[in-house]
Amino acid sequence: MDQKVELLEEKLRMYFAYWLEICDMKIKREVVNECIVILIFEGIDSFIDLYTRKESVVSFWLPKCFPDRFKVIVTANSSSSAMSYFRKLGSTIIDIPADPMIIRNLLDNYQEKPSFTDQQRRDKIYQILGAKTEDALSNSLFVKTFMATLTPYPTEGIISLSEVNPQEIDGMLESIDYEELKDINNTEQLFDFILEFYSQKMLQAEKFRKILCAITLTQKGLTLAELTHLVRINDREWKKLIAVFKVFLMTYKGYWKINSEPFKKAVYEKFMKDDDYVLKLHIEIAEILSKFTPNSVRKLEEETFHLFMARDFFRLKEVMSVSYTHLTLPTIYSV
């Protein structure tokens, strides 16, 4: 396909049938029809419905049958609704056992990284992780989250050792409950633990909640300047947040958002059960964009998205009308 497909699960659900049809038409026009299109949906059970904030219903958007020359591979949790749906369809189910050697190499790799925490604390965390159940250690997301958030480390191009004071990171982790940590054996429990712990230690609780919710709700991503207007976060606080949660973040041209679907789901369940809070935050983000962000296609898409999600249809109509006027007015040159 010639057009760029953005990795936004809501757009994927809305336009998938359209994209599939266009792709099939292009393949049929090819002189040599030997190509095969392989579609891979990783963690399809983590796609969240924007309205219910629960696992999206796969049957609403994913076809039961695909055109010729299309092959589909899907990964999902064995206990998810998506997996139940695929079983009912008679799909081929393949269990993928974890290779203990790969996980061990992953752990060794983390131990060799430079870190924002002292060696003694890292060894303690590593020891607790090494004693986890086989099911926990077979989950690469669990292992990656455990090490990345509890023994934060620098990453080239994202955050460097010189940008964060290691004493601040160690200061946060001093009061960690190691006994509670020993009882955690799945990713959902781990997400809940780190969100609860850092909401009390990293920033003011409401500031922490608000910034994570904002970069979860955003469609295109928000700039640090926009987040500063929204949450009043300073550069030091922002870099601490990146140091701990960078494995869940995506940044592109200065726009930041949470791009891990399982973690987004955890943020929804932890901080966004109050519908009024979510609606208010959508409105606040739209206002920040309106006041401080220069006009662009990205601003238009982001602002209208938040107004729509806030159900502020009057302002949405105003923004769309003004944008349409600017786009259709002729350019007049003076001589």
Side-chain angles (χ1 to χ4, degrees):
M1 294 178 67
D2 295 330
Q3 82 177 82
K4 177 184 175 183
V5 179
E6 298 190 29
L7 299 178
L8 296 171
E9 69 278 6
E10 189 63 20
K11 281 193 172 183
L12 178 64
R13 291 196 295 267
M14 289 173 61
Y15 302 122
F16 183 76
Y18 170 67
W19 290 335
L20 185 64
E21 183 180 353
I22 290 178
C23 188
D24 185 44
M25 289 170 60
K26 289 196 173 187
I27 290 174
K28 288 178 178 177
R29 287 200 297 264
E30 295 293 329
V31 177
V32 180
N33 289 321
E34 296 180 355
C35 65
I36 295 177
V37 177
I38 300 176
L39 303 175
I40 301 175
F41 299 91
E42 186 175 2
I44 200 169
D45 55 311
S46 296
F47 287 10
I48 299 171
D49 187 284
L50 288 175
Y51 299 99
T52 64
R53 296 197 290 278
K54 297 179 180 178
E55 180 184 339
S56 66
V57 182
V58 176
S59 60
F60 283 177
W61 64 274
L62 191 69
K64 291 182 180 179
C65 300
F66 282 79
D68 294 337
R69 298 184 299 279
F70 277 78
K71 303 295 181 183
V72 181
I73 300 173
V74 172
T75 67
N77 190 294
S78 58
S79 60
S80 65
S81 299
M83 184 60 78
S84 299
Y85 171 70
F86 294 131
R87 285 197 179 99
K88 289 178 182 177
L89 288 180
S91 305
T92 302
I93 308 295
I94 302 174
D95 291 326
I96 307 176
D99 186 339
M101 198 63 187
I102 293 177
I103 299 299
R104 182 56 57 188
N105 290 338
L106 182 64
L107 289 173
D108 291 341
N109 182 49
Y110 278 120
Q111 276 206 315
E112 293 172 3
K113 290 177 180 285
S115 177
F116 293 118
T117 58
D118 64 46
Q119 189 62 46
Q120 185 177 0
R121 195 179 310 283
R122 293 177 70 192
D123 291 342
K124 179 71 173 177
I125 296 294
Y126 186 89
Q127 181 183 9
I128 292 173
L129 180 58
K132 293 296 180 185
T133 63
E134 185 177 341
D135 285 344
L137 289 175
S138 67
N139 186 332
S140 59
L141 178 60
F142 179 87
V143 174
K144 185 177 181 179
T145 300
F146 205 98
M147 297 302 291
T149 60
L150 298 175
T151 62
Y153 51 83
T155 299
E156 186 178 353
I158 302 295
I159 192 80
S160 66
L161 271 174
S162 62
E163 291 182 284
V164 176
N165 184 350
Q167 292 181 344
E168 289 193 56
I169 302 295
D170 259 338
M172 289 191 295
L173 292 168
E174 276 182 0
S175 59
I176 196 168
D177 188 337
Y178 291 112
E179 294 304 314
E180 184 179 355
L181 205 54
K182 291 177 183 178
D183 294 332
I184 296 173
N185 283 300
N186 62 58
T187 308
E188 290 75 19
Q189 291 175 342
L190 182 57
F191 283 157
D192 186 71
F193 176 85
I194 61 175
L195 287 173
E196 180 64 30
F197 177 77
Y198 283 114
S199 69
Q200 304 300 322
K201 302 297 179 182
M202 182 175 287
L203 307 169
Q204 295 175 357
E206 180 53 34
K207 182 184 286 190
F208 180 83
R209 177 193 186 191
K210 193 171 185 178
I211 194 165
L212 280 186
C213 290
I215 56 179
T216 296
L217 290 175
T218 178
Q219 187 178 45
K220 295 287 187 179
L222 297 171
T223 66
L224 179 55
E226 290 163 350
L227 290 169
T228 301
H229 287 301
L230 180 70
V231 189
R232 302 299 178 192
I233 189 170
N234 59 44
D235 186 64
R236 181 179 60 83
E237 293 171 329
W238 173 245
K239 286 178 177 175
K240 278 198 301 182
L241 186 117
I242 294 176
V244 174
F245 292 101
K246 62 184 176 298
V247 291
F248 309 120
L249 296 172
M250 181 181 77
T251 179
Y252 178 70
K253 293 185 176 180
Y255 302 120
W256 293 85
K257 64 176 293 186
I258 290 178
N259 202 45
S260 164
E261 297 303 328
F263 189 67
K264 284 173 71 172
K265 185 177 180 180
V267 173
Y268 271 112
E269 292 176 352
K270 184 73 175 177
F271 295 134
M272 289 191 274
K273 290 183 178 179
D274 184 348
D275 291 339
D276 289 338
Y277 177 85
V278 175
L279 289 175
K280 182 181 177 182
L281 186 53
H282 276 300
I283 290 173
E284 285 188 62
I285 295 172
E287 288 176 347
I288 293 297
L289 291 164
S290 177
K291 290 179 182 178
F292 302 105
T293 304
N295 290 330
S296 65
V297 173
R298 171 258 168 186
K299 174 188 175 179
L300 176 62
E301 292 185 350
E302 186 77 19
E303 186 179 1
T304 54
F305 166 75
H306 289 291
L307 291 174
F308 177 79
M309 294 305 298
R311 301 168 192 168
D312 192 343
F313 299 116
F314 180 77
R315 286 185 59 199
L316 176 61
K317 182 180 178 181
E318 280 187 327
V319 171
M320 293 298 292
S321 298
V322 171
S323 300
Y324 178 78
T325 302
H326 283 302
L327 288 171
T328 55
L329 278 176
T331 303
I332 301 174
Y333 299 94
S334 59
V335 179

